[in-house]
Amino acid sequence: MGKGGEPADPVSAGTLYADAAYAPFLADDFDATEFASNALAGSHTTAQAQTHSLQDRIQRLQISLREEVLHRRPEVLQQAAQLRDTEAAMQGITLAVDTMQSALQRAKSLIMEPYEQLQLKTQQLRNLHGTVELLRQLIQRLKLVAKLRQQIDAKCGGYTDLAKAAKLLADTETISIEGNLAGIDIVDADTEFLQTTWQAVQGQAQAALQRGIETLSQAEVGSALQVYFNLGLLTQAVSELLEQHSRQFAATVKDILDPKKLSAGAGAPASSSEGPRAAHGSATNKWQEHMWQKLSLLMEKLRLSIVSIWHVQRVLAKKRDPLTHVLFIDECLDEDSPLPSEQIWASLTGLLREGLAMAAAPVKGGFVREALTSHYPRLAALLEETFRRILQDTNVKGVAAAVTPEQQAELLGAATPFQNAYLGASLTRMSDAVTAAFPGTSRTLTSSAELQKCIARMHDEVRVVADSPRLSALIAKTVGKGLQLMAEKAEYMTFAGPKMRQVVGPCSPGQQRNMKLCSQLQEVHRSLLTLLPRMQPSAAAALMAPLEAIQSVALEAVLPIFKAMVETAEEIILRLHTESFAQQSQQGMTQASDYMQALTSHLTHCRSDYLLQFQPAPSPQVPSFVSALTERMACRVLVFFVRHASLVRPLSNDGKLRLAKDMGELEAGVGQSVYPLDHLGLPFNILRAFRRLLFLETRDVPASPLLRELPPSVVLHHLYSRAPAALQSPHVRHNFTPAQYSLWLDQHSMADVLKFIKGALNAAAAKMDQDEACKELVGMMTKICNQS
């Protein structure tokens, strides 16, 4: 109502909702007290005015609500009618539910009694069935026990069929566990008998298995494994067998490699801090032999253990259960599990490695460590022989061996500490011997006695391990290191300088020093070279590079001397071109040319002052570095002479005789002073063939067999001597001196030389069309070039 009792104007609900005056009343956290306090505090009107304002708003709100209800009256009436219909439907549903519940109660009362009776009968049947099953299992167990008693042999106390007895025991045990027969008097009465029988059967199976292993009887081992399979203990039996061998081997290793126990067993005073080392020679030999006997027994035990397990594995791999046809090895091993032979090999080699490592310890090892280190080849031979016997004993056709050849390294690897110590000691001995023989300083060279000691040391090191290919290769590497050290020290001891190339006068001290050093290195090389055919191939191969190093140093020490001797001989031979071979010789045929006399005198000087200084002197009967150098020197002198003799022109018949005489003197000089001619091969054949070529008619040259014995360049150069002077020699045409042309020939191949000569012939052929004789000779020479 408004002022004076007039009704307020109707206001729509939307207008009231948007009115800010009603906003505080819409909040969820509206507090009337707080609203009143805020309204009074924030307004300038009185409380009564505020109250009238609120009442006016309430009246407007009521009017709005009444108008809204009147406006939606049809909808309200419709909703009320629907609600009345719903209440009527609910009453009908409630009545139907009550009826259904009553029907269910009646059905329950009719069904419950038969259900309870059925449940009772079912329980009775279950109990009856359990009783029957228990009785069946009990009867079955009693029958099995009775059969088991029948297996007992009254005469010997054993069992007529051990495998059958084991099967009966296992079946009895299975029935007892599955049937839960504990507490039944008749069952408990047989318990002691079954336990005793179980132990007896297992003991007899174990004994049978042990006998089968000792005798390597597959039948007995198979019977024992069948018993274990029937007992359900096959996997356990195999595992216990592996553990037993490992345990026994570990105890043996510890007992044998213990210095105190070893010395006590050998009769040496165990209380001595030095052990057997404090004893004298005979006592020392006694404890060492005792130690090696023990080690031999240890290796024999290793072999027997591995062969035994391999034998059991062989039976496991082929035997099947006759009832289930299960392969025994599949029963006791998983798919990824290693074979028993692999397991025992890994276990025993590991135990041996640990034991030897402990014996190799500086403190714990004691005298055992020293003995095994100094006599490691004997230990390695023992290990290799043990592995060979294992491989031999288990090498059966159709069955995999217990080990493969590649596994030998694993067994030998157990003694690696002693191997390293022995190789280190060997290298030390080798280095000391080399240093004593070749100190590497400029002082006087070592004596022959020291050199022989060094060679003997190398021979001893190789001889001790000659029977072992593996150890021979290792020691060969050590000897090779000694040879490398020798090469280095010998290289420091060589003399170098310009005096090394002076061979005109007497031998200088530096040259004597180098020749003696070369002889010493040559002796070392020769001595070891004789060992190579008797050594293992791998060991011999390891010595090849060090021996080549020794050879290289020895050759480098004397190579300047040989080069100087050869160069001096070449300079003398070049004097041949200063001689005249075109006219009648004034000296007749009784005396050689001056240059040849000088050459033979030089060769004689080389032999007396140089070649004979080597020990041994160069000879085909004694192969050596110096012999090879001397042979090369002799070959070079012959080839060089033939080359320059072929360049001589003009050459008369008397000149040919002189050259032939000089060749005879050259043969005598080289053969007597340098090297036997019959060992020079091709160069000597060339010299003799060239002598025959001198007196061969020109027309006979193309068909002569000498063309196959002489180099084509020698034949062509000599044919120039038969041509007119207008046909220039190839080197003259190019302004080469004989020395320059000789150097050019050394630097080029035969194909290049022939091309060079053919070019000169082609150039000459174009200028001599009118000279038929020369033209014919040029054609012959060109044909020889083309055919070569």
Side-chain angles (χ1 to χ4, degrees):
M1 298 291 291
K3 293 181 181 180
E6 295 178 358
D9 297 332
V11 181
S12 66
T15 304
L16 293 177
Y17 187 80
D19 192 348
Y22 293 98
F25 301 98
L26 297 176
D28 294 335
D29 57 346
F30 175 75
D31 187 356
T33 304
E34 183 180 358
F35 176 79
S37 299
N38 292 336
L40 293 175
S43 176
H44 299 289
T45 59
T46 62
Q48 186 176 3
Q50 289 288 338
T51 302
H52 285 305
S53 176
L54 288 174
Q55 288 177 352
D56 183 53
R57 293 174 185 170
I58 292 171
Q59 186 177 7
R60 291 173 61 192
L61 182 60
Q62 290 176 346
I63 294 172
S64 177
L65 289 173
R66 185 171 58 252
E67 292 294 334
E68 186 68 23
V69 170
L70 293 175
H71 177 69
R72 296 183 181 272
R73 180 184 177 195
E75 295 179 12
V76 173
L77 292 177
Q78 183 180 2
Q79 293 293 332
Q82 291 178 353
L83 183 60
R84 185 173 57 253
D85 295 341
T86 301
E87 288 179 353
M90 287 296 297
Q91 289 177 0
I93 292 173
T94 301
L95 181 60
V97 170
D98 292 341
T99 303
M100 184 179 294
Q101 288 179 346
S102 299
L104 289 174
Q105 289 295 332
R106 290 194 302 271
K108 181 179 179 181
S109 60
L110 294 174
I111 295 173
M112 194 61 184
E113 183 177 356
Y115 169 75
E116 292 176 353
Q117 292 179 359
L118 181 61
Q119 190 176 27
L120 178 61
K121 297 298 182 180
T122 302
Q123 184 63 35
Q124 291 175 352
L125 181 60
R126 185 183 298 112
N127 294 338
L128 182 60
H129 183 270
T131 303
V132 171
E133 182 64 21
L134 181 64
L135 290 174
R136 186 190 64 78
Q137 292 176 345
L138 182 59
I139 293 171
Q140 180 67 19
R141 185 180 184 279
L142 292 175
K143 289 180 179 180
L144 292 174
V145 173
K147 290 181 181 180
L148 182 61
R149 291 182 185 275
Q150 293 175 3
Q151 291 295 319
I152 300 177
D153 190 344
K155 295 182 180 180
C156 61
Y159 299 90
T160 57
D161 189 341
L162 194 62
K164 186 174 182 180
K167 181 63 175 174
L168 292 172
L169 276 172
D171 292 344
T172 302
E173 181 70 15
T174 301
I175 291 175
S176 298
I177 295 174
E178 293 178 354
N180 192 17
L181 303 180
I184 301 177
D185 294 341
I186 194 172
V187 173
D188 294 340
D190 295 332
T191 301
E192 184 177 356
F193 165 73
L194 292 175
Q195 291 177 349
T196 304
T197 304
W198 184 284
Q199 295 174 359
V201 170
Q202 189 173 356
Q204 292 185 27
Q206 185 175 358
L209 179 61
Q210 190 63 33
R211 287 195 305 271
I213 290 175
E214 292 175 356
T215 60
L216 296 181
S217 172
Q218 296 187 53
E220 198 159 7
V221 170
S223 300
L225 293 178
Q226 183 66 59
V227 173
Y228 280 116
F229 179 84
N230 291 343
L231 290 175
L233 300 176
L234 182 59
T235 302
Q236 179 182 342
V238 175
S239 299
E240 289 179 353
L241 186 62
L242 291 171
E243 293 175 1
Q244 175 189 351
H245 281 277
S246 297
R247 186 169 56 251
Q248 292 176 353
F249 187 78
T252 306
V253 169
K254 184 177 181 181
D255 181 63
I256 290 177
L257 297 179
D258 188 342
K260 293 183 179 180
K261 293 182 180 180
L262 189 62
S263 59
S271 60
S272 173
S273 59
E274 296 295 322
R277 289 178 297 177
H280 295 290
S282 60
T284 301
N285 293 335
K286 181 179 179 181
W287 74 257
Q288 284 187 353
E289 285 305 316
H290 179 69
M291 180 191 71
W292 288 112
Q293 290 175 5
K294 289 286 189 180
L295 283 174
S296 298
L297 293 176
L298 178 64
M299 293 298 101
E300 181 64 14
K301 189 171 186 62
L302 173 68
R303 183 189 69 84
L304 290 176
S305 296
I306 293 175
V307 172
S308 298
I309 298 302
W310 170 83
H311 180 65
V312 173
Q313 174 184 306
R314 177 171 60 163
V315 178
L316 287 171
K318 66 170 59 174
K319 186 168 181 60
R320 294 179 181 272
D321 179 58
L323 298 178
T324 62
H325 303 289
V326 174
L327 192 64
F328 280 9
I329 198 166
D330 294 337
E331 177 69 17
C332 62
L333 292 179
D334 296 333
E335 184 178 354
D336 299 330
S337 299
L339 295 173
S341 61
E342 296 174 350
Q343 297 180 41
I344 194 65
W345 172 262
S347 176
L348 298 191
T349 53
L351 291 171
L352 181 62
R353 184 182 299 105
E354 293 175 2
L356 291 177
M358 187 174 297
V363 178
K364 295 183 179 181
F367 60 86
V368 175
R369 172 176 176 267
E370 297 179 3
L372 293 180
T373 299
S374 59
H375 296 86
Y376 171 74
R378 185 173 179 180
L379 175 61
L382 186 60
L383 294 173
E384 290 176 352
E385 176 62 17
T386 300
F387 186 85
R388 185 194 65 79
R389 292 185 61 192
I390 292 173
L391 195 60
Q392 178 181 347
D393 293 345
T394 60
N395 186 16
V396 178
K397 185 177 180 180
V399 181
V403 292
T404 59
E406 292 75 16
Q407 288 179 285
Q408 182 178 2
E410 298 178 13
L411 182 59
L412 293 171
T416 298
F418 298 107
Q419 172 183 300
N420 295 337
Y422 178 79
L423 293 178
S426 175
L427 181 59
T428 301
R429 293 191 297 267
M430 199 78 60
S431 300
D432 292 343
V434 170
T435 303
F438 297 88
T441 61
S442 59
R443 68 177 181 85
T444 306
L445 295 177
T446 186
S447 64
S448 177
E450 288 292 340
L451 180 64
Q452 292 303 321
K453 287 181 181 179
C454 179
I455 295 175
R457 167 53 58 192
M458 294 182 179
H459 279 250
D460 290 342
E461 296 292 340
V462 173
R463 186 181 63 255
V464 170
V465 298
D467 295 333
S468 172
R470 183 191 64 89
L471 198 53
S472 293
L474 294 175
I475 289 298
K477 292 180 181 179
T478 303
V479 175
K481 293 179 181 178
L483 292 175
Q484 292 285 3
L485 178 63
M486 180 185 295
E488 294 175 4
K489 289 183 173 293
E491 189 173 4
Y492 295 145
M493 298 172 67
T494 55
F495 179 82
K499 291 184 178 181
M500 289 297 298
R501 301 181 62 85
Q502 296 178 3
V503 293
V504 177
C507 184
S508 67
Q511 291 173 331
Q512 292 178 353
R513 176 186 180 85
N514 280 15
M515 288 189 290
K516 184 177 180 181
L517 180 62
C518 176
S519 298
Q520 291 178 341
L521 294 175
Q522 183 174 264
E523 176 63 19
V524 174
H525 186 278
R526 183 199 61 79
S527 178
L528 289 178
L529 202 62
T530 59
L531 284 179
L532 295 184
R534 302 192 297 272
M535 295 176 66
Q536 300 291 339
S538 56
L543 285 180
M544 293 306 299
L547 287 175
E548 290 175 0
I550 291 292
Q551 179 179 354
S552 176
V553 174
L555 292 176
E556 288 296 330
V558 297
L559 202 57
I561 300 175
F562 278 88
K563 285 184 177 180
M565 290 190 294
V566 171
E567 289 172 359
T568 302
E570 290 178 353
E571 291 174 359
I572 295 174
I573 292 174
L574 285 173
R575 298 180 194 174
L576 176 148
H577 296 288
T578 64
E579 300 279 347
S580 176
F581 292 90
Q583 300 176 356
Q584 179 68 30
S585 173
Q586 301 298 324
Q587 298 174 343
M589 295 298 106
T590 61
Q591 186 176 1
S593 302
D594 293 339
Y595 78 93
M596 185 53 64
Q597 294 180 12
L599 179 60
T600 55
S601 176
H602 168 69
L603 296 178
T604 303
H605 168 69
C606 290
R607 178 172 182 79
S608 60
D609 281 31
Y610 294 96
L611 299 181
L612 292 181
Q613 299 293 327
F614 293 100
Q615 296 296 329
S619 170
Q621 287 73 32
V622 184
S624 64
F625 310 150
V626 179
S627 295
L629 288 176
T630 307
E631 181 181 0
R632 289 171 56 188
M633 173 183 171
C635 292
R636 176 64 179 178
V637 170
L638 296 181
V639 171
F640 196 82
F641 175 81
V642 171
R643 173 188 295 173
H644 286 276
S646 68
L647 294 176
V648 172
R649 62 178 302 193
L651 183 62
S652 64
N653 289 332
D654 290 340
K656 293 179 181 179
L657 293 175
R658 282 184 59 196
L659 273 180
K661 175 64 177 177
D662 291 343
M663 290 182 194
E665 293 294 328
L666 179 63
E667 289 182 13
V670 172
Q672 296 174 8
S673 301
V674 186
Y675 210 77
L677 295 175
D678 53 351
H679 289 84
L680 295 182
L682 181 61
F684 180 52
N685 294 335
I686 290 175
L687 179 66
R688 290 196 166 184
F690 183 70
R691 180 186 295 173
R692 297 195 299 272
L693 179 65
L694 289 176
F695 302 100
L696 187 67
E697 293 293 335
T698 304
R699 64 177 178 273
D700 297 331
V701 170
S704 174
L706 294 177
L707 293 180
R708 294 191 296 271
E709 299 181 27
L710 289 168
S713 59
V714 171
V715 177
L716 293 170
H717 288 152
H718 173 67
L719 290 178
Y720 270 103
S721 67
R722 305 185 183 193
L727 181 60
Q728 292 182 332
S729 297
H731 66 286
V732 175
R733 180 172 175 269
H734 289 81
N735 297 321
F736 284 171
T737 65
Q740 292 173 336
Y741 188 47
S742 180
L743 181 62
W744 185 89
L745 291 174
D746 289 334
Q747 297 172 348
H748 290 77
S749 65
M750 182 58 67
D752 294 336
V753 174
L754 294 177
K755 183 178 180 181
F756 183 73
I757 296 174
K758 187 176 181 181
L761 292 173
N762 293 336
K767 299 179 181 179
M768 296 186 178
D769 295 338
Q770 305 302 323
D771 192 339
E772 293 296 330
C774 183
K775 185 176 181 180
E776 182 179 352
L777 180 61
V778 169
M780 177 193 304
M781 295 171 66
T782 303
K783 184 178 180 180
I784 294 175
C785 282
N786 294 332
Q787 291 177 349
S788 301

